Amino acid sequence: MYNRGVIMSNPLRQKIQDRTARVGVVGLGYVGLPLAVEFADAGFHVTGIDVQASKVDRLNAGDSYIQDIPTEILRPLVEAGRLRATTDFSVVRDLDTIDICVPTPLRKTKDPDMSYIVSACEEIAKHFTPGKLVILESTTYPGTTDELVLPMLAKDGLKAGADFFLCFSPERVDPGNPTYQTKNIPKVVGGVTAACTEMGALFYGQALEHVVPVSSTSAAEMAKLLENTFRMINIGLVNELAMMCDRMGINVWEVIDAAATKPFGFMPFYPGPGLGGHCIPIDPFYLSWKTKQAGIEARFIELAGYINGQMPHFVVDKIQGALNDQSKPVKGSHVHVLGVAYKRNIDDVRESPALDVILLLQRLGARVTYSDPYVPSIRLDGGSLEASPVDACVEQADCVVIITDHSDFDYEAIHERVRLIVDTRNAYKNRKSEKIVRL
Ligand SMILES: NC(=O)c1ccc[n+]([C@@H]2O[C@H](COP(=O)([O-])OP(=O)(O)OC[C@H]3O[C@@H](n4cnc5c(N)ncnc54)[C@H](O)[C@@H]3O)[C@@H](O)[C@H]2O)c1
């Protein structure tokens, strides 16, 4: 399947190997920009295409807008002419490879929204010529590459594996992870044909450390969904355990840490205020949508989705209970939220449970403020909220709730000054205090 020599005499093979292939990346967000930087850093000439002119302008000015890519890394690549960006899809004509890294959100009905992939592919198709390698990286349901993308490119009798190459390769980037980044996260790639897989694997092998070829696009699409479904379901399990432990007066964090001492057959997951980000709460529903069409109910996914969706309510109940214990109704109380990003040390608030918690508290009549060193303001249903300095709020607040345990917060100093803390992240793991109410 990999390196069988089926692409031996193809001119693209030589261009990839001697790094003269002109690389294109469509969608320059959290996934696309780091990928473009890796290939530029490996010596390729890379052109990014995005519909947002502001991103294109910033990239061309050598100014990074993605936290994981420091401007000091980006600017020299732009200045050396190895990385540039445009909103104009006609550059596709001159590209040899095209990675598609556009969003794949869910509609309100939890159906996949394929409109970004369709729109990007329509534009690519307008300027498509034989000999190119196209790789879809956006997370999606199994079958997307073969059923949706292939027919859009295989026009005028062009054959995948002979006249052009088409693969799916899931992106696994974990924003804010200091150890694993685009370059050293193994890259799974599966092609429409063996020749496609071989070309895709050859391509990634030039810039990334490990390539994992699989036999089909669907296997690559499904592998990504397995990874994220595995996380989502295990988080659902520990969230349910947290609710059980709460009822029984047991510290769930201690239970998980104790279980994690087993050197085999157990992997710790931790409860929290709910799922966030653009992957774990969304991707499993791609799978349940697709399997429903095949007559199979994805029952684990639906159940975990329900439990995880209850967590913001559970947290608000905890806040309400803690305030009641101090004879304070939640209505009229001041609740200060620490951290609104969906996870520690990043600036992304997409699907963040903090937004749900804040809205629920506001609906109950609480006055809510928040601090987050990474997020200066947030949009809520029908309004917005500006971040407040920690010092200005923690003393006055009737209750401080930790939703995102950023490392920048001085937890000891905060503890000294607050009246009541609801800790949904076990930030005060080693502290015994009457002021702290844990999840
Ligand atoms: N962010 C992550 O941590 C992560 C991790 C793994 C996989 N993914 C997946 O990768 C894909 C991209 O995610 P992201 O986080 O980079 O999204 P993003 O929103 O940060 O970036 C997507 C970019 O695509 C651009 N875009 C939208 N439509 C376009 C079009 N038709 N043509 C050109 N550009 C277009 C947007 O302007 C944006 O800059 C999604 O499928 C996501 O599920 C994301």
Side-chain angles (χ1 to χ4, degrees):
M1 178 212 331
Y2 176 46
N3 207 10
R4 288 197 323 198
V6 285
I7 56 167
M8 209 56 180
S9 59
N10 193 287
L12 180 57
R13 179 176 176 270
Q14 194 56 47
K15 284 194 205 173
I16 289 174
Q17 275 179 328
D18 62 23
R19 300 185 187 197
T20 55
R22 282 149 309 175
V23 171
V25 176
V26 176
L28 296 167
Y30 289 94
V31 166
L33 184 63
L35 185 75
V37 164
E38 283 310 334
F39 275 92
D41 197 44
F44 289 88
H45 281 89
V46 181
T47 304
I49 307 175
D50 202 290
V51 289
Q52 277 185 54
S54 56
K55 280 188 179 157
V56 166
D57 292 345
R58 283 188 69 176
L59 191 155
N60 285 333
D63 177 19
S64 179
Y65 46 84
I66 296 284
Q67 203 185 327
D68 282 347
I69 303 291
T71 287
E72 306 85 74
I73 302 276
L74 182 72
R75 183 158 295 154
L77 297 171
V78 175
E79 284 173 354
R82 292 226 296 280
L83 179 57
R84 68 182 189 109
T86 177
T87 55
D88 179 4
F89 272 86
S90 69
V91 295
V92 163
R93 203 176 300 277
D94 298 323
L95 297 174
D96 296 301
T97 72
I98 302 158
D99 275 89
I100 303 171
C101 310
V102 296
T104 41
L106 283 179
R107 297 188 194 281
K108 282 213 158 58
T109 50
K110 289 206 160 36
D111 290 353
D113 178 357
M114 291 287 114
S115 61
Y116 298 86
I117 292 183
V118 169
S119 148
C121 289
E122 276 171 357
E123 287 300 320
I124 292 168
K126 278 185 202 162
H127 309 282
F128 198 62
T129 49
K132 298 185 199 301
L133 166 67
V134 177
I135 307 175
L136 179 63
E137 292 216 5
S138 304
T139 308
T140 184
Y141 61 83
T144 307
T145 311
D146 282 17
E147 295 162 15
L148 187 73
V149 180
L150 179 61
M152 296 178 79
L153 301 179
K155 292 184 311 186
D156 307 324
L158 291 185
K159 284 222 161 353
D163 305 314
F164 70 99
F165 303 91
L166 177 60
C167 298
F168 180 81
S169 178
E171 181 48 59
R172 295 161 140 177
V173 72
D174 181 22
N177 188 324
T179 312
Y180 291 106
Q181 285 158 0
T182 302
K183 191 175 181 67
N184 63 350
I185 298 173
K187 196 84 174 105
V188 172
V189 58
V192 171
T193 68
C196 295
T197 306
E198 196 173 332
M199 196 64 92
L202 178 77
F203 171 65
Y204 284 125
Q206 306 303 307
L208 311 182
E209 286 177 10
H210 311 283
V211 180
V212 184
V214 293
S215 68
S216 65
T217 56
S218 300
E221 289 159 342
M222 194 65 147
K224 171 73 186 180
L225 295 183
L226 170 62
E227 291 163 19
N228 285 0
T229 302
F230 173 80
R231 273 192 72 72
M232 183 248 202
I233 287 174
N234 279 287
I235 293 169
L237 173 65
V238 291
N239 277 337
E240 189 174 53
L241 193 81
M243 292 191 257
M244 292 172 184
C245 284
D246 185 65
R247 193 64 67 83
M248 292 188 272
I250 300 168
N251 181 332
V252 68
W253 307 93
E254 186 186 5
V255 170
I256 295 167
D257 284 349
T261 58
K262 187 179 179 188
F264 52 88
F266 185 83
M267 179 187 282
F269 286 84
Y270 297 97
L275 292 183
H278 232 243
C279 291
I280 310 294
I282 289 178
D283 302 347
F285 291 100
Y286 277 95
L287 186 55
S288 63
W289 176 83
K290 184 69 178 174
T291 57
K292 219 171 263 171
Q293 295 180 342
I296 299 172
E297 292 284 334
R299 280 179 282 183
F300 274 117
I301 293 175
E302 300 295 338
L303 180 58
Y306 172 76
I307 293 168
N308 293 328
Q310 291 305 304
M311 292 314 285
H313 298 270
F314 182 66
V315 168
V316 169
D317 286 349
K318 281 236 108 157
I319 296 168
Q320 223 170 342
L323 284 166
N324 280 345
D325 288 346
Q326 304 208 342
S327 308
K328 284 214 167 76
V330 69
K331 186 169 181 179
S333 288
H334 174 192
V335 180
H336 186 69
V337 173
L338 286 179
V340 294
Y342 81 83
K343 69 172 182 173
R344 185 192 299 172
N345 301 344
I346 65 158
D347 61 2
D348 193 349
V349 294
R350 292 182 294 181
E351 311 286 326
S352 173
L355 307 179
D356 292 331
V357 169
I358 291 172
L359 273 177
L360 289 169
L361 286 168
Q362 286 179 335
R363 273 183 209 146
L364 290 171
R367 184 167 77 81
V368 186
T369 53
Y370 86 89
S371 301
D372 191 310
Y374 298 92
V375 185
S377 65
I378 48 174
R379 268 202 233 140
L380 296 162
D381 254 4
S384 64
L385 208 55
E386 305 282 319
S388 308
V390 177
D391 290 347
C393 287
V394 290
E395 245 160 65
Q396 288 96 346
D398 298 301
C399 176
V400 168
V401 54
I402 299 171
I403 297 291
T404 315
D405 52 341
H406 292 306
S407 320
D408 301 45
F409 292 132
D410 184 343
Y411 293 99
E412 277 312 304
I414 291 167
H415 177 264
E416 290 307 308
R417 299 170 60 196
V418 295
R419 294 175 223 172
L420 174 66
I421 306 175
V422 172
D423 180 2
T424 72
R425 299 288 187 178
N426 208 22
Y428 288 103
K429 179 175 179 172
N430 298 317
R431 196 172 233 299
K432 281 207 173 105
S433 161
E434 303 240 306
K435 293 181 188 176
I436 301 170
V437 175
R438 289 173 221 279
L439 187 71

